[in-house]
Amino acid sequence: MAATIEGIPDWGRWILAGTALAGISTLGIAALIGPAARRLAGEQHPLTQAERQQMTATERVEAVNAARHTLIQAATGLVVIGGVVFTAQGLWYTAQSLDASRQAQRTAEQGQITDRYIKAVEQLGSTKMDVRLGGIYALERLAKDSPRDHQTVYEVLAAFVREHDHKLKPGVRLPGALATDAQAALTVIGRRNVTLDTRAPNLVQSRIARADLRQLNLAGADLYDTDLAAADLRSANLNGANLTGANLPNADLTGANLAGAKLRGTNLVDVDLAYADLRGADLAGVDLGGTYLVGADLRGADLRHVRGVTVDEIRKETRVDETTKF
């Protein structure tokens, strides 16, 4: 019997319980209208002949009816209370079912996201360029669909850029442009939703000369000892970035945001910094020979021991104030 009951689905159990409750309620009301009503009216046992003569038929009927009315009201109240309890149990069961459904859906979604992530990472290791590009853009879509995986996705893409190598032989010049897959990864990193970052991109010692980084957001990025020769960084956001020891000869940083950037030991020879925001930047000891500084904002910047340009030239071409350190 127990095995039979366990085999009944939940909805079947609710129907059986409801049917049983309805049957019990019907029997209870029948008992209340009959014997119970008579007892409440004072008829404890069948009336004797003398008792029958003392009460008219009308009086006996009215007494019984009054008792029945009272009992029916009580029974109605019990039925209403039972209905409320039954409804509450039904709502609770529905809520539990919905919660279980949501949990199952979340589990399924996470499984799908995991599968998408694994497939995209596998694509990054392909020998075919188009497959690698597909993996890069698949990871970008994944980061948008799953904010919890945002940081992981962009750390994987940053690692892809760091490990990218031109594999040049000694004496061989760099190609005219950065490889398409590395460029795509940098572009995706630079247009990420930075509000979801827990850490800024780690691009330490990346070889990304001639990269197109126009208007990309690399605020706070770690670009220590990175090769950015001839890179296009016009209007890029490098606020607070670490460019210590980076190689930037012939790079275009026109209008770039370099406020608070660390630039000690950075190669800025022949770099275009026109109208760049360098407020609070650390440029101490940097060689600025051939650097184009017209309109650059150097308020609060550390320019002590800079080489290749005089203080008078800096004052004439740039925006400085009493907080600029010479």
Side-chain angles (χ1 to χ4, degrees):
M1 182 64 178
T4 303
I5 293 175
E6 290 178 358
I8 299 175
D10 290 340
W11 61 267
R13 295 181 187 180
W14 280 99
I15 290 176
L16 289 176
T19 303
L21 181 60
I24 293 170
S25 299
T26 301
L27 292 174
I29 291 172
L32 291 174
I33 291 174
R38 288 192 174 87
R39 285 184 174 274
L40 187 62
E43 190 177 313
Q44 304 297 326
H45 50 77
L47 296 177
T48 64
Q49 187 63 32
E51 290 172 336
R52 291 178 185 278
Q53 291 176 354
Q54 291 176 359
M55 295 180 65
T56 65
T58 302
E59 289 174 338
R60 288 199 300 272
V61 171
E62 288 177 353
V64 172
N65 285 341
R68 285 174 176 169
H69 182 70
T70 300
L71 290 173
I72 288 173
Q73 285 183 326
T76 302
L78 290 174
V79 170
V80 170
I81 293 172
V84 170
V85 172
F86 189 78
T87 301
Q89 289 179 330
L91 291 173
W92 176 83
Y93 173 75
T94 301
Q96 292 294 105
S97 299
L98 288 174
D99 186 61
S101 297
R102 292 193 196 97
Q103 185 63 37
Q105 184 179 3
R106 284 194 292 267
T107 301
E109 288 176 350
Q110 286 304 310
Q112 292 174 356
I113 287 172
T114 300
D115 292 341
R116 288 168 59 189
Y117 173 77
I118 293 172
K119 182 178 180 180
V121 172
E122 288 176 349
Q123 287 178 297
L124 290 183
S126 173
T127 57
K128 298 180 179 179
M129 176 66 75
D130 57 343
V131 176
R132 294 197 298 275
L133 288 174
I136 290 167
Y137 294 121
L139 284 172
E140 181 182 28
R141 179 60 183 271
L142 178 62
K144 292 179 180 178
D145 292 343
S146 179
R148 63 180 293 180
D149 295 303
H150 169 95
Q151 192 64 39
T152 300
V153 165
Y154 288 105
E155 286 181 356
V156 167
L157 290 175
F160 178 80
V161 174
R162 288 197 308 273
E163 296 303 317
H164 187 276
D165 198 327
H166 294 292
K167 295 182 179 179
L168 298 176
K169 295 179 181 180
V172 178
R173 298 182 61 185
L174 290 174
L178 185 64
T180 304
D181 52 355
Q183 178 62 64
L186 282 169
T187 301
V188 168
I189 291 171
R191 66 188 183 202
R192 71 197 184 286
N193 182 358
V194 296
T195 62
L196 297 176
D197 282 353
T198 56
R199 289 179 299 278
N202 178 5
L203 295 167
V204 172
Q205 296 181 332
S206 299
R207 299 183 62 183
I208 49 178
R210 297 182 177 83
D212 184 354
L213 303 173
R214 287 173 293 175
Q215 301 180 347
L216 296 186
N217 191 344
L218 295 171
D222 193 348
L223 293 158
Y224 172 81
D225 201 26
T226 294
D227 184 3
L228 284 160
D232 190 344
L233 288 152
R234 285 174 290 174
S235 300
N237 184 2
L238 292 160
N239 190 319
N242 179 19
L243 287 155
T244 304
N247 188 38
L248 285 158
N250 300 304
D252 190 347
L253 286 149
T254 303
N257 181 0
L258 289 155
K262 299 178 180 66
L263 293 160
R264 288 200 181 197
T266 302
N267 182 356
L268 294 175
V269 175
D270 296 325
V271 171
D272 190 343
L273 284 167
Y275 304 102
D277 184 352
L278 288 155
R279 288 175 295 172
D282 187 355
L283 290 151
V286 172
D287 187 352
L288 295 174
T291 301
Y292 192 58
L293 290 166
V294 172
D297 191 342
L298 290 164
R299 290 175 293 172
D302 188 347
L303 297 169
R304 290 174 293 184
H305 311 299
V306 295
R307 295 168 287 127
V309 63
T310 66
V311 172
D312 289 339
E313 289 173 332
I314 292 175
R315 289 183 180 277
K316 181 179 179 181
E317 296 181 345
T318 67
R319 187 176 181 182
V320 297
D321 61 10
E322 65 279 0
T323 64
T324 305
K325 301 174 184 177
F326 290 103

